[in-house]
Amino acid sequence: MPILCVQGIQGSVGNSTVVANVARLLQELNQDVLVFDLNPNNLLRLHFNMDWQNPVGWASHITHKKPWYQAAFKCEQGVQFIPFGTLDYTEYEHLIHEVIYENWLSQQLENLNFPASKWIILNTSNELNTLSVQALNACNMIIRVCTPDLSCLSQLVNSIQSNYINSRPELSDKAFFLINKLSAVSQLENDLSLVFKNLMQKKLIPVNVHDDENIKEAFAFKSTVSLYASKSAATKELRSLAIWLLTQFNVQSS
Amino acid sequence: MEYENNDVKALCKNSNIDPINYKEIKESETITKIKKKWPLLDQILLINNQPFIQRTK
């Protein structure tokens, strides 16, 4: 079963946006996709037209003593998603420190007993905590999302997250890098994308996702870019990313 | 030293450089130029960060 963990090198790199759009494009390529939001910012659901006021999610279900898997939704286009839910600070601390035991995530995924062809995409916070560490270990592939700027490069070379992943071959071997929000007109960003390519070589996913107004507007419409602007450059780039994923997992898009 | 033409293979042969490595040499020259343009980039990519570079390849 393909299990992807998508984690930003730092915040605001467009992690949830990449997850939502890739999930939707994989689904367009006839794949069965479930997106599991492990990020407490709880933004992913908004790409799938869930009401902003709706507090439901797997974490809030656990807090209210309900089975967490009953917080699953299906958007109109067929992508299944499990939002994080709305928690306050005390509830979140309790969840992280008292509820999520060792190997909780891999056990829950196993218990769901999904078919081998189902894609699971874990949307993970850039901060290392019990949940994100479990996601990194439970997946078959890590996509580390970065923007072509110096703060990201700095975090890439030396940060708690990078040091954690790079010091564990079982994680660094399955980690790939995605450049997101690349500006075509920025000299610095184009220079940095060359530097990233030189540093990461085969670990850099051969698709850059450019900064595109259509992606931002799609989110404003609580949708994904392939629905909002199906012929846009962003849709083509994200579709290429989805196809690259199919090739990595040797899946045919029937 | 003068060369008769600008053929890369001929240049490499005369300079005793393996042509396979020619592209890498060119790429690292580009990176050196980029590093000189942006001081913070130059600092981040100091030689003591090489272990990171090896691990990510």
Side-chain angles (χ1 to χ4, degrees):
Chain A
M1 184 161 63
I3 305 177
L4 292 183
C5 171
V6 184
Q7 185 178 43
I9 298 283
Q10 61 179 21
S12 301
V13 294
N15 209 53
S16 300
T17 304
V18 167
V19 169
N21 282 288
V22 165
R24 172 76 190 114
L25 283 156
L26 280 170
Q27 195 261 342
E28 275 184 19
L29 293 163
N30 300 317
Q31 303 302 303
D32 183 13
V33 186
L34 171 76
V35 187
F36 198 160
D37 195 1
L38 302 174
N39 193 334
N41 71 18
N42 198 25
L43 289 174
L44 186 73
R45 67 202 175 102
L46 301 175
H47 295 272
F48 298 122
N49 201 23
M50 188 168 164
D51 279 345
W52 186 81
Q53 297 94 332
N54 192 338
V56 169
W58 68 268
S60 53
H61 262 45
I62 287 177
T63 302
H64 296 107
K65 314 282 184 211
K66 293 179 188 170
W68 69 267
Y69 48 82
Q70 289 181 1
F73 293 81
K74 193 173 187 178
C75 75
E76 293 97 325
Q77 291 75 37
V79 177
Q80 297 157 26
F81 65 100
I82 306 175
F84 187 89
T86 306
L87 295 188
D88 63 26
Y89 176 73
T90 313
E91 290 167 338
Y92 180 63
E93 285 291 297
H94 178 74
L95 177 83
I96 291 293
H97 298 297
E98 308 292 335
V99 178
I100 307 296
Y101 54 83
E102 198 178 350
N103 294 327
W104 177 86
L105 182 63
S106 48
Q107 280 186 21
Q108 305 305 314
L109 294 178
E110 207 175 306
N111 291 344
L112 291 173
N113 211 12
F114 284 136
S117 59
K118 194 174 187 84
W119 288 75
I120 296 181
I121 308 183
L122 307 171
N123 184 44
T124 312
S125 158
N126 66 296
E127 286 177 17
L128 281 191
N129 57 33
T130 312
L131 272 175
S132 54
V133 165
Q134 289 195 21
L136 290 170
N137 284 285
C139 69
N140 326 110
M141 181 192 281
I142 302 167
I143 295 182
R144 304 185 68 195
V145 183
C146 43
T147 46
D149 54 53
L150 281 162
S151 61
C152 245
L153 183 66
S154 174
Q155 296 293 297
L156 198 65
V157 172
N158 191 4
S159 68
I160 294 173
Q161 184 204 98
S162 290
N163 296 339
Y164 180 83
I165 293 174
N166 291 334
S167 62
R168 288 165 175 77
E170 71 276 14
L171 298 183
S172 59
D173 286 354
K174 62 182 177 182
F176 290 85
F177 298 88
L178 173 71
I179 295 181
N180 191 30
K181 298 188 188 178
L182 173 63
S183 163
V185 294
S186 163
Q187 184 60 56
L188 175 60
E189 291 195 7
N190 281 290
D191 280 354
L192 285 173
S193 71
L194 266 180
V195 170
F196 278 42
K197 192 176 177 186
N198 187 263
L199 287 176
M200 299 158 183
Q201 298 196 358
K202 289 177 183 170
K203 287 291 192 175
L204 183 65
I205 296 175
V207 180
N208 291 333
V209 181
H210 283 81
D211 194 22
D212 191 321
E213 200 64 13
N214 285 307
I215 295 179
K216 298 170 195 169
E217 289 183 10
F219 183 55
F221 276 88
K222 298 172 67 186
S223 184
T224 51
V225 72
S226 63
L227 278 174
Y228 177 76
S230 60
K231 292 181 179 169
S232 64
T235 299
K236 286 177 187 164
E237 288 169 349
L238 288 156
R239 186 176 288 118
S240 300
L241 175 59
I243 291 168
W244 180 84
L245 285 168
L246 292 181
T247 63
Q248 292 299 302
F249 287 97
N250 207 15
V251 178
Q252 302 292 321
S253 60
S254 55
Chain B
M1 192 175 179
E2 289 183 11
Y3 297 100
E4 288 177 8
N5 57 49
N6 287 327
D7 180 78
V8 170
K9 284 182 182 171
L11 287 173
C12 291
K13 196 176 174 185
N14 290 337
S15 316
N16 228 2
I17 296 172
D18 183 354
I20 295 166
N21 291 329
Y22 182 77
K23 199 180 163 201
E24 279 186 29
I25 292 164
K26 287 281 285 183
E27 278 180 358
S28 71
E29 280 172 1
T30 308
I31 299 301
T32 307
K33 279 181 192 166
I34 292 173
K35 280 165 67 177
K36 281 180 184 167
K37 274 167 68 180
W38 313 103
L40 178 56
L41 176 65
D42 197 27
Q43 277 195 354
I44 293 172
L45 295 182
L46 274 177
I47 198 76
N48 62 1
N49 290 323
Q50 286 300 315
F52 155 76
I53 293 162
Q54 284 161 9
R55 281 193 303 270
T56 52
K57 280 182 182 177

